Amino acid sequence: MAEDIRQFVEFKLSDEEYGIDILQVKTIERMMPITRVPKTPDFVEGVINLRGEIVPVIDLKKRFDLPPGEVTDSTRIIIASIDDITVGMIVDAATEVIQLSQDDIEPAPPIIGGIDANYLDGVGKIDGRLLILLNVAKLLKPQEINQLAQM
């Protein structure tokens, strides 16, 4: 049945593989200059001008308290929709689009890879590997969404 197949954009943060629902992804962009904005949370890197639209950018490693990494040729900004605003998320690499059936998605344990289950949609099993599925809508608290919307 096609109804229980979901597609995810797979990406890397450090050595872990993650996925976000493709329906929440607008585009994937190469790393570009980011303009810092004062008085924002630590994980907010600043804003970018994406084809005339000002888009706030967050660093997922900082959001999840993961060790920082270097920007490389593989570093990408995943542009996604969160509660009617567009947000960029810096990741080490965006690798592919994968399909998972509901049978291949398990509920998230309370903490996985140091990330609180509140941010997670579950854990996908694909080809003997685990894919941590993020719930983009829960990456930001309502007051953080309001702050980013005003940027």
Side-chain angles (χ1 to χ4, degrees):
M1 293 168 112
E3 298 90 42
D4 67 347
I5 299 291
R6 293 176 60 191
Q7 290 187 311
F8 295 88
V9 172
E10 182 181 343
F11 64 91
K12 287 186 176 258
L13 290 177
S14 300
D15 293 328
E16 297 289 336
E17 295 176 314
Y18 297 82
I20 60 173
D21 193 307
I22 198 166
L23 296 176
Q24 295 173 310
V25 175
K26 288 185 166 187
T27 65
I28 299 171
E29 303 291 332
R30 291 186 177 278
M31 194 62 179
M32 60 183 70
I34 298 173
T35 303
R36 295 280 310 153
V37 177
K39 297 183 181 176
T40 56
D42 182 48
F43 62 89
V44 177
E45 288 297 305
V47 294
I48 58 173
N49 182 344
L50 185 65
R51 293 180 278 287
E53 181 181 4
I54 302 302
V55 177
V57 177
I58 64 174
D59 185 329
L60 285 183
K61 284 186 176 179
K62 287 182 181 177
R63 181 61 171 162
F64 298 146
D65 292 322
L66 298 173
E70 290 183 23
V71 173
T72 68
D73 287 342
S74 299
T75 303
R76 296 289 183 265
I77 301 174
I78 297 177
I79 308 297
S81 294
I82 302 177
D83 282 357
D84 296 330
I85 67 165
T86 301
V87 175
M89 299 174 289
I90 299 172
V91 301
D92 290 338
T95 49
E96 62 182 318
V97 174
I98 58 159
Q99 294 185 354
L100 291 174
S101 72
Q102 279 302 131
D103 295 340
D104 292 328
I105 300 173
E106 298 288 329
I111 291 185
I112 185 166
I115 297 176
D116 188 312
N118 289 333
Y119 298 131
L120 305 180
D121 214 13
V123 178
K125 299 176 290 186
I126 183 166
D127 299 330
R129 346 176 244 136
L130 296 179
L131 189 68
I132 301 167
L133 304 175
L134 295 183
N135 182 338
V136 175
K138 294 198 176 168
L139 282 178
L140 300 168
K141 298 178 180 108
Q143 65 269 27
E144 294 167 338
I145 291 171
N146 290 338
Q147 188 175 9
L148 293 178
Q150 294 173 11
M151 291 179 124

